Amino acid sequence: MNTVEEYAIDLSGVTKRFGEVVANDHVDLKLKKGEILSILGENGSGKTTLMNMLSGIYFPDEGTIKINGKEVVIHSPKDAFELGIGMIHQHFKLVNVLTAAENIILGLAGSGRLNMEEVRGKILELTGKYGFELDPDQKIYSMSVSQKQTVEIVKVLYRGADIFILDEPTAVLTPQETDRLFEVLRNMQKAGKSIIIITHKLNEVLAISDRVSVLRKGKYIGTVDTKDATVESLTEMMVGEKVSLDIKRSEPKDPHLRIKMQHVSVRNKEGVVKLNDVSFEAFSGEILGIAGIAGSGQKELVEAIAGLQTLENGDIFYEPPEGKEENLSGKTPDEIRRLDIRLAFVPEDRLGMGLVGSMDLTDNMMLRSYKNGGRFFADRKTPKALAEDVVRKLDVVTPGVGTPVRRLSGGNVQKVLVGREIASSPTVLMVAYPVRGLDINSSYTIYNLLNEQKEEGVAVICVGEDLDVLIDLCDRILVLSGGKLTGIVDARNVTKEEIGMLMIGGKG
Amino acid sequence: MTKRGSISRARAWGIRVAAVILSLIVCAIVIVVITKQNPIQVYAGIIDGAVGTKRRLWVTIRETIFLLIVAIGLTPAFKMKFWNIGAEGQILMGGAVSAALMIYLGKTLPNSVLLILIFVLSALAGMIWGLIPAYFKATYNTNETLFTLMLNYVAMQIVTFCIVYWENPPGSNTVGVINASNQGGWIPPLFGTYGMCVILVTAVTVFIAIYMKSSKQGYEIAVVGESQNTARYAGINVKKVIIRTMMLSGAICGFAGALIVSGSSHTISTGTAGGRGFTAIIVAWMSQFNPVIMVVVSLFLAFMQQGAIQIASQFGLNENASDIITGIILFFLIGCEFFVNYKVELIGKHKEA
């Protein structure tokens, strides 16, 4: 009896299918009381599906769920709450115009008059106990991402949950904020709370958790004590084979100026300044990394060069290998193309901007080339040959070039997109979050492709979110904070903490 | 309830056929309960009404092609995710221009010249009626659904005004048959009453099928429809494509108006479009913008409509009975798309599994 009681959550044989896809295949998972368990797995390995079944969003097809030793049926998020399970989603669900305290009590049943003083007192008690920094009266819209996350966590605590599930909590945080979050989580653990963290950042797994459970392709692979694990051993469990995690970085050869941005400012549709007086240069034969907290202007920076943003101020010059320099500011993508400037751009939103999900590989290759050739009819032969070429060279797994790209997996979608962009033999290659959502093997394929382009003398600009990777891959790293350029550092002599300071606007 | 990952074509069509059969059964029940008639006889009446005589057959063909050409006209706009529900107004404008030309030039110009003029100018009228909402959509991002819908009423009022102006005979509040004496501006019969119209509609259908599938502009329309961001990324001028496509869509609907006026009714009234602008939306969607399937769907709807008119008189049911039957069948057909895309599971079932 006691042995069973020891587990806060005990899943056995849990299976969830979506059509023919088995998202979770007989998963057994145990969360001990008062421990921090990491669930590790690549994208598509079924981590989020599994957690959604615990929080009542999905209902399992098979298997049993025991909470604190008792078998339960979780039909809805409300059931999950009553069992003391609280989930902190990757995308926050907060009302912007309300204060932290108002958001925290939102949706709670109360009796009679609402006593805001009492609520505030209870919140302050919680924040004091666990070491949060939170002002209950601050409005959500004026908060940073990490503060919003704090509100989400306190919200769950306030409701008296004792099992916490955090879905990729560190994805949007700077290194310093991550440390602070971990501090809080440890305090919660000391107070007897049980915590599950979903993540794919191995270093963080090693830093925070007591045990690690690994999922691969919907199957439960195993659980190890964190103290016995290494980055290599966990990767092997995740991928199922040994993977070399080294990125070769060569010295830039014969660098020439390609892109010169001068005092560029950009506002978004709502009139908010997204880029504020940014100036930098990018050279051929080097990889320039762009780092920053999500939404600091990275997207606008690369889109400005691609001709997709209206500049409020400033100029962007393109320096071709031969011939005279061109001012790209105010030019549309089509005008840039007609100047025969070979800018390749792999946007962040692959299926919403770089590709058309419902179209097949051939038609997606056409996006860049359909204007060539005759007046009325579109040429589909050349794109088809290109599609076949990309499939062969980059090992794209697809039933054929006639398959809609939406049906491909994330990694293959990205290979199609990068393949098309590289095929134009660009002089400047811009990639935004090139490995987001990709498995480890595909990620390294992309890193290698970027390195190849660099060695061929292309000026590569890479917006990234994993600082460890940026530091290993890039030659220089440009850091943005709230649309301002806070520094350009040499990637060979910089630490993650230094970049983290620049990301929050400090002097590095 | 979960979304299906994919479904085989055969299975999807199986579901649709099942929906048709189910709808016929439900119709039969409704007929029996309300009218105490034998449903088999009623269905025989439908068939008789649609293809029973040569004349009825031609009417069914006429209704089919009119529905088809409007659906074809809507296709480019809908493919671009521009919800043009203003086909009704575009048809009326085209029809009004045709009627005007017939009235004012029908006695002076040779018929061939007049017909060409009618086709060009009515298409132009429909084009303008399509251009207006497209311009505002492209420039100010107005809602095209409301805009095109409201323009229908504007067109209707213009036609009402024209009827007062062209009234013949005076006091009848209708325009009457225009040029009944010399048939000026009438589309001449070919192999039968509406042969010429069939050829014209077929030509437009083939053109649009090729345009959408193989042309550069068709490709641009598809990209803009899927994602304007992607379109901008690929260097497509989104504004231009929206305006150009709606001009094309409106022009075809305007041309449809000319066919209806000069090819069939030889008069103009607020009922000239006859709801085809709306029914064609159903045709376009049900056939998923595939022109070949569009022919089949148009034929089916026209068939049912004509058959229903027949049974209404044959069994002394009123006009609405036909609408009820068509309505029930459409309900099943549209509803079955839900089962093509989703499968329904009952949560209770999971526990035993």
Side-chain angles (χ1 to χ4, degrees):
Chain A
M1 215 30 207
N2 279 343
T3 48
V4 180
E5 280 285 321
E6 183 185 341
Y7 294 114
I9 295 179
D10 183 350
L11 302 178
S12 63
V14 170
T15 301
K16 179 72 190 172
R17 297 185 196 88
F18 295 103
E20 277 151 36
V21 181
V22 185
N24 286 134
D25 187 2
H26 296 95
V27 173
D28 306 312
L29 190 84
K30 291 178 173 62
L31 171 69
K32 287 184 194 163
K33 281 187 177 165
E35 78 164 345
I36 300 181
L37 175 75
S38 289
I39 297 189
L40 190 64
E42 301 203 80
N43 287 66
S45 60
K47 299 171 297 203
T48 304
T49 307
L50 191 64
M51 292 306 116
N52 279 340
M53 283 192 277
L54 280 175
S55 56
I57 294 170
Y58 294 143
F59 194 84
D61 292 334
E62 284 171 41
T64 56
I65 301 176
K66 286 185 192 166
I67 304 291
N68 297 327
K70 266 216 311 277
E71 190 168 332
V72 294
V73 177
I74 306 174
H75 268 304
S76 68
K78 200 166 153 264
D79 288 355
F81 258 135
E82 277 161 16
L83 291 166
I85 302 172
M87 182 141 176
I88 291 110
H89 293 271
Q90 213 171 342
H91 303 284
F92 307 135
K93 296 164 164 60
L94 298 169
V95 182
N96 263 330
V97 293
L98 298 184
T99 64
E102 285 164 341
N103 264 288
I104 286 164
I105 57 156
L106 198 67
L108 280 183
S111 55
R113 271 174 61 97
L114 175 63
N115 186 346
M116 226 40 214
E117 256 334 291
E118 199 186 308
V119 171
R120 192 176 296 120
K122 208 173 151 196
I123 291 173
L124 288 175
E125 189 195 313
L126 284 173
T127 51
K129 186 172 165 193
Y130 297 110
F132 291 104
E133 288 164 30
L134 180 71
D135 172 8
D137 297 318
Q138 197 181 352
K139 303 261 191 206
I140 300 297
Y141 61 78
S142 66
M143 289 185 176
S144 71
V145 176
S146 96
Q147 283 172 310
K148 287 180 193 168
Q149 187 179 55
T150 308
V151 176
E152 284 281 6
I153 298 173
V154 174
K155 190 163 99 182
V156 175
L157 272 172
Y158 189 90
R159 281 154 207 235
D162 49 24
I163 300 170
F164 288 79
I165 303 169
L166 294 99
D167 191 1
E168 306 248 358
T170 62
V172 290
L173 303 181
T174 63
Q176 284 84 353
E177 287 167 341
T178 303
D179 288 344
R180 212 175 312 136
L181 173 70
F182 285 177
E183 198 67 34
V184 168
L185 291 180
R186 286 197 195 94
N187 288 338
M188 284 163 60
Q189 181 189 16
K190 274 182 212 140
K193 310 282 182 192
S194 320
I195 299 166
I196 294 180
I197 289 190
I198 303 178
T199 180
H200 56 231
K201 290 187 186 166
L202 295 164
N203 294 329
E204 291 174 359
V205 170
L206 296 174
I208 183 77
S209 56
D210 302 312
R211 295 190 307 149
V212 190
S213 291
V214 181
L215 295 180
R216 186 201 313 151
K217 290 179 184 153
K219 287 204 174 72
Y220 172 72
I221 300 301
T223 302
V224 291
D225 286 336
T226 308
K227 59 180 191 305
D228 304 329
T230 62
V231 168
E232 285 74 21
S233 71
L234 289 176
T235 312
E236 205 180 323
M237 280 177 85
M238 250 162 86
V239 183
E241 56 189 78
K242 265 201 157 50
V243 183
S244 135
L245 295 180
D246 295 323
I247 302 173
K248 291 173 288 177
R249 173 166 54 190
S250 55
E251 286 296 319
K253 274 186 300 217
D254 191 24
H256 286 288
L257 183 63
R258 280 284 174 273
I259 293 283
K260 187 164 72 183
M261 190 181 263
Q262 283 181 334
H263 306 294
V264 165
S265 297
V266 166
R267 279 177 199 273
N268 68 3
K269 277 202 192 96
E270 284 78 41
V272 179
V273 177
K274 297 303 279 185
L275 281 184
N276 189 351
D277 195 23
V278 173
S279 307
F280 75 95
E281 290 169 339
F283 297 89
S284 64
E286 71 155 13
I287 300 183
L288 174 67
I290 296 178
I293 303 169
S296 299
Q298 300 95 314
K299 175 173 159 246
E300 285 77 11
L301 184 100
V302 280
E303 287 192 3
I305 299 173
L308 294 166
Q309 291 281 345
T310 317
L311 306 190
E312 195 176 60
N313 252 322
D315 291 297
I316 298 165
F317 293 100
Y318 170 77
E319 204 78 45
E322 283 136 20
K324 68 174 184 21
E325 92 180 357
E326 292 280 356
N327 191 342
L328 300 186
S329 51
K331 290 203 169 56
T332 65
D334 195 38
E335 285 164 343
I336 294 173
R337 191 188 72 98
R338 269 185 270 150
L339 285 170
D340 204 24
I341 295 172
R342 293 193 305 275
L343 278 184
F345 178 31
V346 177
E348 170 185 0
D349 188 358
R350 287 162 211 158
L351 290 175
M353 186 178 232
L355 300 166
V356 180
S358 60
M359 289 185 174
D360 64 15
L361 269 65
T362 304
D363 277 19
N364 270 298
M365 292 296 159
M366 263 169 77
L367 264 187
R368 281 293 193 198
S369 63
Y370 81 95
K371 284 185 177 154
N372 303 340
R375 269 189 71 82
F376 183 77
F377 286 105
D379 170 21
R380 275 194 167 74
K381 283 204 192 96
T382 328
K384 185 159 185 258
L386 175 59
E388 280 160 355
D389 204 41
V390 168
V391 168
R392 202 173 42 246
K393 275 196 192 136
L394 300 185
D395 294 320
V396 179
V397 181
T398 168
V401 294
T403 307
V405 288
R406 191 168 41 205
R407 296 246 185 91
L408 306 185
S409 72
N412 287 308
V413 167
Q414 184 68 321
K415 282 182 195 169
V416 169
L417 179 52
V418 173
R420 182 189 72 202
E421 292 303 300
I422 290 176
S424 61
S425 47
T427 49
V428 178
L429 171 64
M430 294 183 288
V431 291
Y433 306 107
V435 300
R436 182 179 282 176
L438 266 56
D439 60 42
I440 295 181
N441 279 319
S442 307
S443 299
Y444 279 82
T445 310
I446 300 292
Y447 297 144
N448 290 336
L449 281 172
L450 293 183
N451 265 323
E452 268 171 37
Q453 292 297 309
K454 165 187 166 180
E455 276 160 28
E456 281 171 26
V458 176
V460 181
I461 299 177
C462 172
V463 181
E465 51 197 339
D466 189 336
L467 292 182
D468 293 310
V469 170
L470 280 182
I471 289 172
D472 284 347
L473 177 71
C474 301
D475 298 295
R476 292 183 305 144
I477 298 174
L478 180 159
V479 188
L480 290 172
S481 170
K484 276 207 180 90
L485 192 153
T486 45
I488 298 180
V489 294
D490 178 1
R492 287 176 179 77
N493 306 306
V494 75
T495 63
K496 222 160 63 163
E497 283 65 34
E498 285 164 352
I499 297 179
M501 285 304 292
L502 291 170
M503 280 163 71
I504 51 174
K507 297 273 173 290
Chain B
M1 186 186 79
T2 44
K3 201 159 165 69
R4 288 180 198 268
S6 60
I7 181 165
S8 73
R9 198 167 277 214
R11 200 141 166 232
W13 280 104
I15 291 175
R16 290 185 188 121
V17 170
V20 172
I21 294 168
L22 264 178
S23 68
L24 290 177
I25 293 170
V26 171
C27 286
I29 293 169
V30 170
I31 293 166
V32 170
V33 168
I34 296 178
T35 68
K36 318 274 191 292
Q37 303 285 355
N38 179 355
I40 307 284
Q41 259 180 15
V42 173
Y43 287 132
I46 291 178
I47 294 170
D48 180 46
V51 295
T53 66
K54 203 173 168 192
R55 204 191 114 68
R56 286 178 191 160
L57 178 64
W58 271 116
V59 172
T60 303
I61 290 175
R62 180 191 75 194
E63 291 304 311
T64 304
I65 55 169
F66 287 168
L67 206 48
L68 174 64
I69 190 168
V70 182
I72 286 289
L74 289 175
T75 299
F78 275 22
K79 200 79 188 165
M80 195 174 66
K81 305 240 161 85
F82 185 104
W83 310 123
N84 175 18
I85 56 173
E88 199 84 352
Q90 290 146 19
I91 296 169
L92 277 179
M93 291 313 286
V97 167
S98 312
L101 289 168
M102 283 161 75
I103 289 170
Y104 294 116
L105 300 172
K107 304 236 158 45
T108 46
L109 280 183
N111 208 13
S112 55
V113 178
L114 179 58
L115 274 177
I116 290 170
L117 207 59
I118 284 174
F119 292 155
V120 172
L121 290 184
S122 61
L124 199 67
M127 188 187 277
I128 292 168
W129 230 240
L131 169 68
I132 299 169
Y135 172 78
F136 282 90
K137 168 83 177 180
T139 318
Y140 306 107
N141 197 24
T142 52
N143 181 314
E144 74 274 15
T145 319
L146 284 173
F147 211 124
T148 49
L149 183 68
M150 296 327 269
L151 278 177
N152 287 342
Y153 297 104
V154 177
M156 221 172 268
Q157 293 308 315
I158 292 176
V159 170
T160 309
F161 173 78
C162 290
I163 291 171
V164 174
Y165 204 70
W166 295 329
E167 207 177 30
N168 179 32
S172 66
N173 203 21
T174 60
V175 179
V177 175
I178 304 165
N179 299 341
S181 53
N182 70 344
Q183 307 203 335
W186 290 27
I187 295 174
L190 187 76
F191 316 120
T193 330
Y194 303 110
M196 193 69 163
C197 289
V198 172
I199 291 172
L200 289 169
V201 170
T202 309
V204 174
T205 305
V206 170
F207 170 74
I208 288 295
I210 295 172
Y211 178 79
M212 293 308 296
K213 203 170 177 324
S214 314
S215 80
K216 289 184 175 186
Q217 297 190 355
Y219 179 74
E220 287 183 333
I221 290 171
V223 175
V224 170
E226 285 298 326
S227 155
Q228 297 204 1
N229 266 335
T230 309
R232 282 194 301 121
Y233 164 85
I236 294 172
N237 186 339
V238 175
K239 215 169 140 174
K240 193 173 112 192
V241 172
I242 290 178
I243 290 176
R244 186 182 66 203
T245 307
M246 262 314 282
M247 282 167 71
L248 176 70
S249 179
I252 295 174
C253 292
F255 179 64
L259 289 186
I260 293 169
V261 170
S262 328
S264 157
S265 71
H266 309 126
T267 184
I268 180 89
S269 75
T270 49
T272 292
R276 291 186 186 93
F278 298 116
T279 314
I281 298 175
I282 298 171
V283 175
W285 269 106
M286 274 178 44
S287 43
Q288 270 141 27
F289 309 113
N290 179 331
V292 179
I293 301 176
M294 250 179 238
V295 176
V296 178
V297 176
S298 305
L299 184 63
F300 173 75
L301 287 182
F303 185 94
M304 286 311 295
Q305 197 185 338
Q306 293 311 309
I309 292 170
Q310 166 73 13
I311 58 160
S313 55
Q314 189 178 336
F315 296 96
L317 310 173
N318 72 14
E319 277 287 315
N320 299 334
S322 63
D323 290 344
I324 291 175
I325 293 177
T326 320
I328 291 172
I329 293 174
L330 281 181
F331 176 81
F332 274 86
L333 277 180
I334 297 169
C336 85
E337 295 302 315
F338 175 82
F339 293 97
V340 173
N341 289 319
Y342 293 90
K343 70 176 179 201
V344 176
E345 299 170 332
L346 297 171
I347 277 192
K349 242 171 44 186
H350 293 284
K351 281 184 204 154
E352 290 93 49

